[in-house]
Amino acid sequence: MTELVRQTVRDLHRLGLPVVLAAACLLFCAAPAHAGSATRFADPAGEGTACTQTQPCSITTAVQDAPDGAEVALLEGDYTLPLDFVIDRGIDVSPASEEGPVSLSGGSLGTPAVSGPGSSLSHVELSGLSGVAIFEGALVEQVVATGGFGCIVRDGLLRDSVCLGYDDAGVLAIAAGDQIEAVVRNVTAVGEDGAVLRSDRGSQLSFDARNSIFLTTLPDDARYVDLRLLRGDGAALETDIDFSNFRSSAGDGIDPLEPGTRSNQAAAPVFRDAPGGDFRQAQGSPTLDSGTAGANGIGSLDFEGDERVQGREIDIGADESAFGDAAPTVRIVRAPDKRTRNRRPGFRFRGSDDVTSPNELRFRCGLNTRNLTPCSSPRIYRNLDPGRYRFKVEAIDEAGNRSRPAAYSWRIVKR
């Protein structure tokens, strides 16, 4: 299996496509607990062959000498990968604990890969490589891959990941003389082209995507698009893309896909700080609560380890936002008597929301007016003249949802 994968990697290089296995977690994400005799431990400074928690070995030794189906637990630190690093034979590689981040790095032409059913890589941080390569039914999840290509899917499942291809495509799905099924779930793919689907002569590529964002970093340059399809002579290229976000598409040997068709979106996603590399969703993004949980292969956690469904529906993209769409509520907990001589009345009020904490809610108040203005509790009025008054207050959550106003009427009488 390992030699077959390496030969495939060499074939991709022959086509001018550098291949690397890469993965990362921008913010530290949850990792599974490791236990049992089959677990092997690696450390950036590990030596020997014991591969225990007290005597960890190198990542290369931990993986290459592991029995089929073993777990390899990576202790905290920065790992340097060899050029031909392969995770196969049903081996799972992930951090040993939640104590700190794990990062993988290597040369820009490195060729590590995850290959075969049961083989997986998750919850790691990677830099200095060219992409993440997934072969023959393997799984890569909850990663952020940064390099020439972000993620390369040759046959398998990629989910809950951010793929940043700063020199090329965020995601490359390629069939080169074979039949490939690439499945993508909740992926944010960003690059010169957001995603490239390439089926070479005599090949067959099936690309199945749900809840994913494909985004070019050069939207004003006509040479680049969010989603590019390339079909060679005698090749087959089938796409099943739904509940995803892309604004532009181009095809060579095949018609491009029309943005906004099916349940796909054509409005631009909104990120917190895309220039700074933060591709978490911001308030107002059309991708919030717009995905589907009704597809095979949907993960239970986002790329940061947060629960996958937090709002009304699953989000589109690698990030699952905590912004809700339900309106908050507000109630007045202290007010003046209904009939009073007090010309300095005060009000106390409290709000609640399904997502935003009470301390982060904003409030707007008004007295005998429909035009409410920002306020906080307590709200005290001074030197009011005798007469009838009506106080209103509303709460606003982080997503901008407003509550129904709470109101109170009273009368100030002459002394």
Side-chain angles (χ1 to χ4, degrees):
M1 176 77 73
T2 299
E3 182 54 37
L4 177 61
V5 170
R6 286 177 176 152
Q7 180 59 52
T8 304
V9 168
R10 289 192 287 270
D11 290 342
L12 292 179
H13 278 299
R14 176 177 52 81
L15 293 169
L17 299 172
V19 180
V20 184
L21 178 68
C25 194
L26 286 176
L27 300 178
F28 183 71
C29 44
H34 291 267
S37 58
T39 300
R40 295 165 63 81
F41 290 86
D43 185 87
E47 296 179 342
T49 60
C51 299
T52 63
Q53 191 163 12
T54 56
Q55 293 180 295
C57 55
S58 70
I59 186 172
T60 301
T61 300
V63 172
Q64 289 184 352
D65 297 344
D68 293 0
E71 292 182 344
V72 173
L74 305 180
L75 298 174
E76 178 182 353
D78 301 328
Y79 294 79
T80 300
L81 299 179
L83 291 180
D84 292 330
F85 184 75
V86 177
I87 300 169
D88 61 359
R89 297 178 289 112
I91 295 172
D92 167 70
V93 178
S94 58
S97 71
E98 302 178 20
E99 295 302 319
V102 170
S103 65
L104 307 179
S105 63
S108 61
L109 294 180
T111 56
V114 185
S115 177
S119 302
S120 63
L121 176 74
S122 60
H123 309 285
V124 295
E125 190 172 301
L126 185 138
S127 63
L129 295 171
S130 178
V132 50
I134 308 168
F135 293 85
E136 300 182 346
L139 168 66
V140 170
E141 63 178 339
Q142 291 175 272
V143 306
V144 176
T146 304
F149 289 100
C151 305
I152 302 172
V153 188
R154 286 277 292 143
D155 198 7
L157 174 60
L158 170 68
R159 68 185 178 196
D160 304 315
S161 298
V162 178
C163 302
L164 307 177
Y166 288 126
D167 296 326
D168 214 294
V171 163
L172 169 66
I174 180 170
D178 48 10
Q179 294 184 349
I180 295 298
E181 182 179 1
V183 180
V184 170
R185 299 287 185 262
N186 287 98
V187 168
T188 298
V190 181
E192 290 184 343
D193 285 327
V196 172
L197 316 182
R198 175 174 169 175
S199 186
D200 290 338
R201 180 190 297 270
S203 304
Q204 181 174 334
L205 171 62
S206 172
F207 185 79
D208 178 355
R210 293 291 186 276
N211 305 337
S212 294
I213 297 171
F214 306 113
L215 182 67
T216 175
T217 56
L218 302 167
D220 298 325
D221 190 329
R223 295 175 298 172
Y224 303 102
V225 292
D226 293 335
L227 185 62
R228 185 179 303 278
L229 284 64
L230 305 173
R231 185 178 66 184
D233 294 340
L237 174 54
E238 299 177 354
T239 60
D240 183 6
I241 301 174
D242 205 4
F243 292 93
S244 294
N245 183 292
F246 60 96
R247 296 167 294 163
S248 59
S249 179
D252 185 351
I254 187 173
D255 291 335
L257 298 182
E258 184 68 26
T261 55
R262 301 181 69 180
S263 296
N264 293 313
Q265 300 178 336
V270 182
F271 300 112
R272 299 191 188 185
D273 183 14
D278 186 349
F279 289 95
R280 294 175 296 168
Q281 298 172 101
Q283 295 183 29
S285 178
T287 54
L288 294 168
D289 294 335
S290 297
T292 178
N296 65 302
I298 298 293
S300 60
L301 302 174
D302 76 352
F303 83 108
E304 294 181 296
D306 295 329
E307 291 294 328
R308 191 19 104 179
V309 181
Q310 296 190 27
R312 175 176 48 85
E313 296 288 349
I314 195 170
D315 291 347
I316 294 175
D319 174 51
E320 189 73 18
S321 170
F323 301 130
D325 62 357
T329 60
V330 64
R331 62 190 181 95
I332 299 170
V333 297
R334 180 174 295 182
D337 293 339
K338 285 288 187 179
R339 183 182 176 91
T340 180
R341 291 188 176 90
N342 183 7
R343 298 177 61 184
R344 298 179 68 254
F347 294 85
R348 291 185 181 273
F349 39 86
R350 296 174 184 166
S352 63
D353 186 66
D354 61 339
V355 173
T356 305
S357 68
N359 292 336
E360 294 175 330
L361 288 172
R362 296 177 291 119
F363 298 94
R364 288 160 48 93
C365 302
L367 190 65
N368 287 358
T369 181
R370 294 182 179 179
N371 298 320
L372 307 185
T373 57
C375 63
S376 59
S377 180
R379 178 66 171 97
I380 299 174
Y381 293 93
R382 293 178 172 80
N383 301 320
L384 296 183
D385 294 330
R388 297 181 183 275
Y389 292 91
R390 184 171 177 82
F391 171 78
K392 289 184 179 181
V393 59
E394 68 178 11
I396 306 172
D397 65 17
E398 286 185 305
N401 302 309
R402 296 184 179 185
S403 71
R404 296 187 58 164
Y408 183 84
S409 299
W410 84 106
R411 182 179 181 182
I412 298 176
V413 299
K414 294 181 180 179
R415 293 183 180 274

